[in-house]
């Protein structure tokens, strides 16, 4: 018979379990700090706007239609405010490094200059035809339009939507401001402010159009046109410039030298 010896068994010491406390605030804080650090500050009239975009809401609040609409509005404001961020003070005085690194061809100089010459030649010939009526087509803002269309045809200001909408609306604003306030600094100030506000709201950025209201208010020869000034000479001349831009862009792409 096999006998088994028994050894005394020591009772196990009771283990006290401590509840694990999860630091909810640290994770959220780290995430929010990291996200805020990665996003540059966007300011509108001195008020910071990015803080509201990264507020951590509960799921029920996020599904609320009012919260969603508010979030879309804030996102739109932040996106539009991104255009207001300017480079540092020293960088703005230096040439663009990307543009300087790009190889410049002779055709990049010849064709835009030829387009501007052709545009002013055509408009100048039309001036001779319209001189008995005392109006002109080759106005100063069209020089800035030529520079945009022929040198930077892919820029937002060169889009046909931006150009025609801004030209027509800003010219009409100048006519209305002159009719309400008469000639003087108040009409010029109101017209320019309203023109810039319209381009921002309509998302039709076209800087040369901002000079059309001032040209109408200060130019007595345009007063007889009244609301026709919204179409002539700005918008009418832009039709000719758009056709020339298509020709110049085609020649620039297919005849490089």
């Amino acid at each position: 018979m096999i006998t088994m010896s028994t050894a005394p068994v020591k009772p196990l010491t009771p283990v006290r379990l401590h509840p694990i406390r999860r630091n909810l605030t640290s994770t959220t804080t780290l995430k929010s700090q990291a996200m805020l650090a990665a996003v540059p500050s966007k300011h509108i009239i001195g008020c910071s706007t990015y803080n509201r975009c990264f507020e951590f809401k509960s799921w029920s609040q996020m599904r609320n239609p009012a919260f969603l609409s508010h979030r879309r509005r804030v996102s739109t404001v932040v996106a539009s405010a991104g255009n207001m961020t300017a480079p540092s003070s020293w960088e703005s005085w230096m040439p663009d490094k990307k543009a300087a690194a790009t190889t410049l061809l002779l055709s990049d100089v010849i064709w835009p200059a030829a387009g501007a010459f052709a545009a002013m030649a055509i408009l100048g010939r039309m001036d001779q035809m319209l001189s008995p009526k005392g109006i002109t087509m080759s106005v100063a803002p069209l020089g800035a339009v030529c520079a945009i269309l022929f040198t930077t045809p892919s820029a937002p200001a060169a889009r046909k939507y931006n150009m025609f909408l801004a030209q027509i609306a800003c010219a009409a604003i100048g006519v209305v401001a002159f009719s309400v306030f008469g000639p003087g600094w108040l009409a010029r100030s109101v017209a320019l402010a309203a023109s810039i506000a319209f381009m921002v709201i309509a998302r039709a950025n076209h800087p040369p159009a901002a000079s059309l209201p001032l040209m109408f208010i200060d130019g007595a020869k345009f007063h007889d046109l009244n609301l026709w000034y919204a179409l002539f000479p700005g918008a009418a001349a832009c039709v000719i410039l758009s056709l020339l831009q298509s020709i110049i862009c085609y020649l620039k792409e297919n005849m490089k030298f």
Side-chain angles (χ1 to χ4, degrees):
M1 178 181 290
I2 300 174
T3 58
M4 298 179 62
S5 60
T6 59
V9 179
K10 295 181 178 180
L12 295 176
T13 58
V15 179
R16 186 176 182 182
L17 298 178
H18 298 277
I20 300 175
R21 296 181 180 177
R22 185 178 178 182
N23 191 355
L24 297 176
T25 58
S26 60
T27 306
T28 305
T29 305
L30 291 176
K31 287 183 179 180
S32 61
Q33 291 178 354
M35 294 173 71
L36 291 177
V39 178
S41 299
K42 306 290 193 298
H43 296 274
I44 298 179
I45 320 179
C47 299
S48 178
T49 57
Y50 64 79
N51 291 332
R52 294 187 178 181
C53 292
F54 294 101
E55 289 183 7
F56 289 91
K57 302 288 185 179
S58 63
W59 180 249
S60 59
Q61 290 177 332
M62 293 178 66
R63 293 180 62 185
N64 189 1
F67 172 76
L68 293 176
S69 61
H70 170 72
R71 188 173 182 179
R72 292 191 192 100
R73 289 196 301 269
V74 174
S75 301
T76 304
V77 171
V78 172
S80 62
N83 299 327
M84 299 177 64
T85 57
S88 62
S89 57
W90 291 111
E91 290 181 358
S92 62
W93 290 90
M94 302 297 293
D96 189 4
K97 295 180 180 179
K98 294 181 180 179
T102 305
T103 303
L104 185 64
L105 301 177
L106 184 60
S107 58
D108 296 333
V109 180
I110 295 299
W111 291 124
F117 177 84
M120 288 298 107
I122 294 173
L123 295 178
R125 178 58 180 166
M126 296 181 68
D127 286 344
Q128 294 179 354
M129 300 169 59
L130 297 172
S131 58
K133 297 183 179 181
I135 54 178
T136 179
M137 285 285 289
S138 56
V139 293
L142 296 179
V145 175
C146 289
I148 293 174
L149 292 181
F150 298 136
T151 60
T152 57
S154 59
R159 291 176 58 88
K160 304 303 183 294
Y161 170 83
N162 293 9
M163 180 173 62
F164 284 101
L165 184 61
Q167 289 273 344
I168 295 173
C170 292
I173 290 173
V175 176
V176 174
F178 178 79
S179 301
V180 175
F181 301 102
W185 65 269
L186 183 59
R188 290 192 294 268
S189 303
V190 172
L192 182 59
S195 299
I196 294 176
F198 172 82
M199 287 189 288
V200 173
I201 295 172
R203 287 167 175 77
N205 183 28
H206 185 70
S211 59
L212 290 176
L214 306 181
M215 188 176 68
F216 179 83
I217 294 171
D218 296 333
K221 60 182 179 181
F222 296 111
H223 293 170
D224 294 335
L225 294 174
N226 207 353
L227 285 177
W228 285 105
Y229 180 74
L231 301 176
F232 183 89
C238 286
V239 175
I240 301 174
L241 297 182
S242 298
L243 296 175
L244 284 175
Q245 184 201 29
S246 301
I247 299 173
I248 293 300
C249 290
Y250 176 81
L251 295 174
K252 185 178 177 182
E253 291 295 329
N254 294 276
M255 298 181 63
K256 295 184 178 181
F257 46 84

